[in-house]
Amino acid sequence: MTLPAPINEQHRLLCVHTDDIDPVDVGAVLPGLKVWPLFLDSENGYWILRVQFAPGTRLPMHFHTGTVHFYQLSGVWNYAEYPEDVLKANSYLYEPGGSIHTFMVPEDATEPSDGFMVVQGSNVNFTEEGEFVNVMDAGWIEHVILECCKAQGRPIPRYIKPMAKAGFSDAE
């Protein structure tokens, strides 16, 4: 067997150095969050982010349509539904699709919670009473990041975005 011809030519390493860029403050939409977008693929439903959550941050209760892999870099957080299960620095969390929970960083946390997440699908967000709020997916996150950068007069940070163009395989 011979080496196959490349389908996609790669001429450089696709890498985002989060220590070299400032996070995007998305607090106007998601209070307490600063985000480093790493990979946003709205067509395939993947979003990969590094996120810093301020002490006291509480996200809406949400339903995961897909899986989540989360690596905690520093700080702590837990789900309101499981207060005894605290994710601390250098921990890995797997969340199955179909799970429902409410993310929170304790008010008395001594530092922001900083983590890296790989999410497939979307979060369907609800109020504490179970009323629908919105759907958070790769496209929505990209929109929020772009709008926050525009409002703050800052450049859009570099992130990886698949560039496939949908169309027919045959030329008509």
Side-chain angles (χ1 to χ4, degrees):
M1 181 170 192
T2 61
L3 181 68
I7 294 171
N8 293 306
E9 288 288 333
Q10 183 174 340
H11 300 286
R12 64 181 300 187
L13 184 64
L14 296 173
C15 182
V16 177
H17 299 282
T18 60
D19 285 343
D20 295 342
I21 56 174
D22 291 327
V24 178
D25 184 344
V26 296
V29 179
L30 295 165
L33 273 66
K34 293 183 180 178
V35 176
W36 290 264
L38 303 174
F39 181 92
L40 298 172
D41 182 353
S42 58
E43 184 172 340
N44 292 299
Y46 282 96
W47 35 295
I48 303 173
L49 310 168
R50 178 178 169 195
V51 182
Q52 191 175 80
F53 306 89
T57 298
R58 184 179 178 108
L59 298 179
M61 177 177 31
H62 55 276
F63 171 86
H64 286 283
T65 65
T67 59
V68 177
H69 300 271
F70 193 105
Y71 187 80
Q72 186 70 14
L73 300 167
S74 64
V76 297
W77 64 267
N78 63 279
Y79 290 126
E81 297 81 5
Y82 318 110
E84 68 285 352
D85 293 332
V86 177
L87 201 68
K88 59 184 181 177
N90 299 312
S91 297
Y92 164 76
L93 170 75
Y94 171 75
E95 298 175 8
S99 59
I100 299 173
H101 38 246
T102 309
F103 176 99
M104 58 185 284
V105 179
E107 290 278 346
D108 61 352
T110 59
E111 64 180 323
S113 175
D114 192 355
F116 170 82
M117 65 181 71
V118 177
V119 182
Q120 186 270 322
S122 61
N123 288 3
V124 183
N125 294 324
F126 297 91
T127 65
E128 290 182 22
E129 295 76 34
E131 298 294 321
F132 174 78
V133 174
N134 67 0
V135 175
M136 184 168 65
D137 62 9
W140 185 85
I141 291 166
E142 185 172 36
H143 174 77
V144 167
I145 287 168
L146 297 176
E147 289 300 311
C148 287
C149 286
K150 182 178 174 183
Q152 296 163 21
R154 63 160 288 172
I156 298 165
R158 172 178 275 179
Y159 57 93
I160 299 165
K161 182 175 175 71
M163 302 301 283
K165 295 179 183 176
F168 294 105
S169 61
D170 59 341
E172 290 186 11

